[in-house]
Amino acid sequence: MTTAAFTPRVFSGIQPSGGLTLGNYLGALKRFVEMQDAGTHETIYCLVDLHAITVWQDPAKLAHNTRELAAAFIACGIDPERSILFNQSQVPEHAQLGWIFNCVARMGWMGRMTQWKDKAGKNAENASLGLFGYPALMAADILVYHATHVPVGEDQKQHLELTRDIAAKFNHDYGTDFFPLTEPVIEGVATRVMSLRDGSKKMSKSDPSDMSRINMTDNADAIAQKIRKARTDPEPLPDNEAALEGRPEARNLVNIYAALSEQELPTVLAEVGGKPFSEFKPMLADLAVAKLSPISGEMARLMKDTAEIDRILSRGAERARGVAAPIIDRTYEIVGLVR
Ligand code: AMP
Ligand code: TRP
């Protein structure tokens, strides 16, 4: 069923696997806040700790990273009153629906996921079963709330198509229209922020080079240094988008500038066109520091009171269960599981 018949509801998640980057901020967090502030949808945001453990996580670090990610959400502007903010493992309905979807999804579908192929690599025999089934749990995260819209970066597009396939197969197999066909929301200039060292690679917390990314916890000096050393080409910046063709590093830095300053790309190019990188990079560094420093400062402040963070997450989990529990009840009934 299309989403029209359902309450407008946004769901998205980020893994608490440590080290949030500028890519996570521009591709995900910043947009989560915009969708909350627009007030057109209910907004539910989740720290997906059950997804994080599909690869090894040190237990003490996982707990720390979960609280730090909660602090990042709040520091970026997620208001735990207006949005529901919680960690996945406190809401057992995710795992309950995840199991049912393990029985709906097909092995072949999972095997075709590029993220699975990238993460498991040549050593698939030794990857966890959870890593293989990851997208079925992701579909459950979304559909256990009948979410209609999911804001994510470009890299999650395939997983969201699979979520629609799972909803459609469930609806078809059980002769129902219970689950919506959720719409991905992949919009803006920063849906794929690239590495500062290689314009053909995504900026990622797992890149071995720390110089390839800006971390949300980097201080002003580190941010300025990484931008100063970012790879570029020798030409000055162009004044039109077509001339960015074949210049992935230039395009990436200009996109970051546009996203941070909340301007359209043509407006930015009109401003910076003709400038050499030696002039543009300090402008970008100043802007990045001005936008990111208040967030990292606020994160550090929030992390001084982790008991308060835990209270926020527990309260969020309670509210999330209020939405998810009736959907699980009805799903069990449809499947014929006696309660
Ligand atoms: P992850 O850290 O993999 O859990 O990703 C959390 C969110 O950030 C997802 O919506 C991703 O699509 C988004 N994201 C991660 N890296 C980038 C990037 N380099 N550019 C844009 N979005 C990203
Ligand atoms: N797979 C997403 C990522 O790696 C995280 C995620 C898990 C997610 N469940 C989700 C994102 C549900 C959106 C909706 O970035």
Side-chain angles (χ1 to χ4, degrees), residues 11-15 48 51 88 115 134 137-138 141-142 150-152 155-156 159-160:
F11 178 93
S12 198
I14 298 188
Q15 300 187 59
V48 289
H51 276 107
Q88 190 184 24
Q115 190 161 307
Y134 179 117
L137 180 60
M138 178 161 163
D141 296 340
I142 296 165
V150 179
V152 281
D155 60 347
Q156 294 303 312
H159 286 159
L160 291 181

Side-chain angles (χ1 to χ4, degrees), residues 92-236:
E93 285 78 5
H94 289 245
Q96 288 178 296
L97 189 59
W99 179 259
I100 292 174
F101 286 170
N102 278 345
C103 303
V104 173
R106 306 288 96 180
M107 301 272 286
W109 300 0
M110 300 289 161
R112 283 192 283 278
M113 294 294 112
T114 52
Q115 190 161 307
W116 156 253
K117 290 190 236 174
D118 290 348
K119 283 199 180 176
K122 292 193 183 64
N123 205 10
E125 285 289 309
N126 208 25
S128 74
L129 191 52
L131 188 66
F132 189 66
Y134 179 117
L137 180 60
M138 178 161 163
D141 296 340
I142 296 165
L143 294 172
V144 83
Y145 302 102
H146 279 182
T148 55
H149 295 86
V150 179
V152 281
E154 178 73 38
D155 60 347
Q156 294 303 312
K157 194 169 176 210
Q158 198 186 26
H159 286 159
L160 291 181
E161 281 161 9
L162 191 96
T163 299
R164 291 165 67 98
D165 291 343
I166 290 177
K169 180 159 164 57
F170 181 99
N171 288 347
H172 173 269
D173 290 354
Y174 291 102
T176 173
D177 51 13
F178 187 58
F179 287 113
L181 298 185
T182 303
E183 305 282 349
V185 185
I186 305 174
E187 284 166 4
V189 286
T191 53
R192 194 167 165 83
V193 177
M194 308 309 279
S195 156
L196 299 178
R197 307 302 284 174
D198 178 350
S200 68
K201 277 199 339 209
K202 187 182 81 161
M203 181 181 286
S204 160
K205 56 188 150 196
S206 57
D207 193 299
S209 164
D210 193 56
M211 292 301 285
S212 71
R213 62 180 159 261
I214 292 173
N215 304 301
M216 294 302 285
T217 47
D218 281 347
N219 63 26
D221 286 347
I223 294 173
Q225 196 206 20
K226 287 175 179 181
I227 292 176
R228 198 166 55 241
K229 297 218 164 149
R231 183 162 146 194
T232 50
D233 55 45
E235 301 297 319

Side-chain angles (χ1 to χ4, degrees), residues 15 21 24 54-55 66 85-87 96 110 117 134 145 170 211 257 271 279 286-287 291 314:
Q15 300 187 59
T21 71
N24 297 129
T54 56
V55 298
T66 302
L85 176 64
F86 68 104
N87 59 310
Q96 288 178 296
M110 300 289 161
K117 290 190 236 174
Y134 179 117
Y145 302 102
F170 181 99
M211 292 301 285
Y257 190 92
E271 181 192 349
E279 222 178 294
D286 287 349
L287 176 64
K291 295 286 177 181
S314 298

